[in-house]
Amino acid sequence: MALPAGTGRVAYNAAISRCARAGLYPRAFALFREMRGHGMRADEYTLPPLLNAAALLRAPPAARALHALLLRAGLASHLHVANALVDAYAKLSRLDAARAVFDEMARRDVVTWTSLLTGLARAGAHDAAVRVYGGMVDEGVQPDEFAVAAVLSSCAGSTMLELGRSVHAAVVRLGLEPFLSVGNSLVSMYAKTGALQDAQMVFDAARARCTITWTALIVGYAQNGRGRQSLEIYTDMVRSGCRPDYVTFIGLLFACSHAGLVDAGRAHFRSMVTDYGITPGPDHYACMVDLFGRAGRLEEAMDLLNRSTTELDATVWKALLGACRVHRNAELAERAAEMVWRLDPKDAVPYVMLANLYSRARRWDDVARIRVLMKSRGITKEPGCSWVGVNGVTHLFHVEDRGHPRAAEIYQKVEEMTERIRAEGYVPDTDWALQDEAPEGRERGLAYHSERLAVAFGLLAVPAAAPIRVFKNLRVCGDCHAAIKIVTKLYGREIILRDANCFHHMKDGACSCGDYW
């Protein structure tokens, strides 16, 4: 409905702002077109709510048009207009455009910095987000609760535990602890960087908790190999009167799958629907397939998928493919791989998993066939790498990597480790070697996997009293998992290894995953 004839710009601005705040974004733009049709020009109060509307409508062309309009109108010098533009581009994941506007601003405030920082964190550009936070602090701009929550998210995403600790110290100094979003981000950051005791400490000290707080801790315990404790926390959550949500049940089912709790997993999957009215999504089905698959119940996994009314995505079929690899069911693995290829033809995971399965079965012709197929389809595998942080510096390793300045020492340490663990009874599991070589070559290749090199460097560079924290972008090799466990016993060190799946807290020759990961 149009505004009455004779309505002025101030009234239009107020109406546009009200519509934008109420989520009536198309109506806000309709009023803007009507306003301009009456010959009224936009001012610095017209454009910010429209830029926010464009962002929340996921409409980059509208944001660009408004950008052009404000430049023509000479409104870019207004701080709150420029802030709204940075925020809109950031929310639309147009990060280069957001950065360009940011760099051109003569004056910035906490909103400017926070808008860019939050956009980078949300888009997964964690290193860039951390740099922006550093620039903000260097400029003397005091971060608010939104900036702190965003940088903590990036500390978790980039595995920067020490930076996360320094941000936590700033939180205390600035008195931001009472903010729920900050407490939630701290719990999540510590859990995602393997510092579970710190996550629990923040949780226990929190003055207020919500579903996100409880879920962050539930997921954290699950990912750190403490599945049973994860379920206990869920029981406390329900007793407290806090209602679980979609993500809570992903954490619960993940916990059940990684702890081998099949009956508990079934019960929570049913409870999600019957007690809370939550329709299972692909992530829940992937967890259930993983749960059944780890337990060797592939028929039950397929039965669940056949009865599903949910549209299943590639994640579900990759979970099934992973289970087939563990239990060496090539026929079902090939069916699962075909489903992944239909849903996501460019995903390298099914090719790699099939090649691994064929390799473990010594089916070298099939391994070669998969590699030829990958090449013909232009599929490239993400190279495996591992890294260790020491004194704020990240040291990155690839398989058989000799590019590190201390490579000679590292390789000497690897040889020493291999000698000592062999004397302890370690026998290389060459099923994890993916090349058709003589046994000696396969064993040598395993010894120089990226996680083994990272551990060797950690033994050299990380103080004896501190745990060695190794991160890997892919799933840890089963042979390396066995070897590193023995290393912790022989060297008296705690090693915390996070792979693409979960954390492995290794100490005294044992792992938190119970060898069930």
Side-chain angles (χ1 to χ4, degrees):
M1 184 174 71
L3 294 184
T7 300
R9 182 166 60 187
V10 172
Y12 268 105
N13 284 348
I16 288 169
S17 182
R18 279 197 304 272
C19 287
R21 283 199 303 271
L24 304 172
Y25 308 126
R27 173 65 178 145
F29 278 104
L31 286 169
F32 178 55
R33 288 190 294 271
E34 184 183 307
M35 172 185 168
R36 298 192 75 199
H38 290 312
M40 283 176 268
R41 297 179 61 184
D43 64 12
E44 66 270 27
Y45 302 105
T46 315
L47 296 176
L50 289 170
L51 284 164
N52 189 51
L56 295 173
L57 280 171
R58 309 300 302 163
R64 288 194 296 269
L66 291 168
H67 187 181
L69 177 64
L70 71 87
L71 289 174
R72 289 196 303 272
L75 299 173
S77 60
H78 290 273
L79 181 61
H80 66 284
V81 174
N83 282 349
L85 187 57
V86 171
D87 185 60
Y89 278 134
K91 284 176 177 170
L92 289 164
S93 299
R94 299 301 194 268
L95 299 179
D96 289 343
R99 184 79 215 206
V101 175
F102 178 91
D103 289 341
E104 290 170 4
M105 293 173 67
R107 188 164 62 93
R108 307 178 187 117
D109 63 7
V110 65
V111 176
T112 326
W113 288 93
T114 301
S115 295
L116 182 60
L117 171 56
T118 303
L120 291 166
R122 191 186 301 117
H126 299 306
D127 290 343
V130 165
R131 287 194 296 272
V132 168
Y133 177 79
M136 181 182 189
V137 172
D138 291 344
E139 289 287 324
V141 178
Q142 184 171 298
D144 61 13
E145 67 272 22
F146 303 108
V148 163
V151 76
L152 286 169
S153 171
S154 285
C155 289
S158 55
T159 66
M160 296 183 182
L161 174 59
E162 293 313 311
L163 177 60
R165 290 194 197 282
S166 72
V167 174
H168 189 179
V171 164
V172 175
R173 189 172 64 253
L174 298 170
L176 298 175
E177 291 171 292
F179 287 98
L180 187 58
S181 62
V182 172
N184 291 347
S185 297
L186 280 168
V187 172
S188 183
M189 183 276 295
Y190 281 126
K192 288 181 178 178
T193 52
L196 203 51
Q197 286 183 328
D198 295 283
Q200 183 70 61
M201 178 191 70
V202 173
F203 179 88
D204 291 340
R207 299 178 194 176
R209 298 171 186 150
C210 66
T211 300
I212 294 171
T213 328
W214 285 97
T215 298
L217 198 63
I218 288 168
V219 172
Y221 270 90
Q223 290 181 330
N224 281 272
R226 308 284 195 271
R228 293 180 186 275
Q229 292 96 317
S230 190
L231 300 190
E232 289 169 9
I233 294 164
Y234 173 71
T235 300
D236 292 340
M237 175 184 182
V238 173
R239 283 178 185 153
S240 76
C242 193
R243 187 178 178 85
D245 64 8
Y246 185 97
V247 181
T248 310
F249 280 99
I250 294 175
L252 281 174
L253 296 176
F254 183 94
C256 292
S257 71
H258 284 252
L261 303 172
V262 177
D263 291 339
R266 280 203 201 94
H268 285 301
F269 190 75
R270 285 195 300 269
S271 171
M272 175 173 61
V273 179
T274 58
D275 297 337
Y276 297 100
I278 299 171
T279 302
D283 290 318
H284 302 108
Y285 277 100
C287 287
M288 289 301 291
V289 167
D290 192 52
L291 172 69
F292 288 131
R294 288 169 185 275
R297 304 183 183 187
L298 296 178
E299 288 185 8
E300 287 183 66
M302 281 306 301
D303 181 59
L304 179 70
L305 297 185
N306 290 333
R307 290 186 286 108
S308 166
T309 56
T310 299
E311 187 173 343
L312 304 176
D313 65 11
T315 308
V316 179
W317 297 105
K318 283 191 282 188
L320 181 62
L321 184 51
C324 292
R325 181 183 66 173
V326 171
H327 297 287
R328 308 191 185 199
N329 187 325
E331 184 181 350
L332 187 53
E334 287 160 357
R335 284 174 56 195
E338 285 292 343
M339 290 302 298
V340 179
W341 288 330
R342 284 186 208 171
L343 293 163
D344 190 357
K346 293 296 182 182
D347 193 333
V349 169
Y351 299 92
V352 174
M353 284 191 172
L354 275 181
N356 288 354
L357 188 152
Y358 292 142
S359 172
R360 295 183 74 179
R362 305 293 198 271
R363 291 170 55 175
W364 301 116
D365 289 345
D366 286 317
V367 172
R369 175 175 59 81
I370 291 295
R371 288 176 177 163
V372 168
L373 190 60
M374 285 183 74
K375 189 173 182 180
S376 68
R377 294 179 178 177
I379 306 297
T380 55
K381 171 186 176 289
E382 180 183 7
C385 64
S386 301
W387 60 97
V388 181
V390 179
N391 297 325
V393 178
T394 299
H395 299 262
L396 182 70
F397 300 91
H398 292 87
V399 63
E400 298 186 6
D401 192 345
R402 293 184 181 271
H404 194 277
R406 298 179 67 178
E409 290 178 83
I410 292 167
Y411 272 75
Q412 188 176 356
K413 181 60 74 173
V414 168
E415 297 297 337
E416 176 193 298
M417 284 162 44
T418 303
E419 225 173 273
R420 291 188 64 181
I421 63 177
R422 278 183 181 276
E424 190 69 16
Y426 160 76
V427 177
D429 182 356
T430 56
D431 279 352
W432 291 94
L434 303 181
Q435 303 298 328
D436 183 10
E437 297 177 334
E440 297 80 10
R442 292 164 67 83
E443 290 180 18
R444 189 168 53 252
L446 289 171
Y448 301 128
H449 276 186
S450 66
E451 55 265 58
R452 209 87 66 100
L453 296 174
V455 165
F457 175 72
L459 290 172
L460 291 167
V462 177
I468 298 169
R469 296 178 182 274
V470 176
F471 301 89
K472 183 171 182 179
N473 64 330
L474 305 177
R475 191 170 183 264
V476 63
C477 154
D479 180 71
C480 287
H481 186 271
I484 294 168
K485 278 196 309 174
I486 303 172
V487 166
T488 65
K489 178 183 176 183
L490 296 178
Y491 287 82
R493 299 297 297 265
E494 179 183 3
I495 297 175
I496 301 171
L497 169 62
R498 193 192 86 172
D499 68 4
N501 229 11
C502 62
F503 276 94
H504 302 268
H505 293 256
M506 301 182 185
K507 191 174 182 180
D508 299 327
C511 181
S512 59
C513 73
D515 299 335
Y516 191 85
W517 88 99

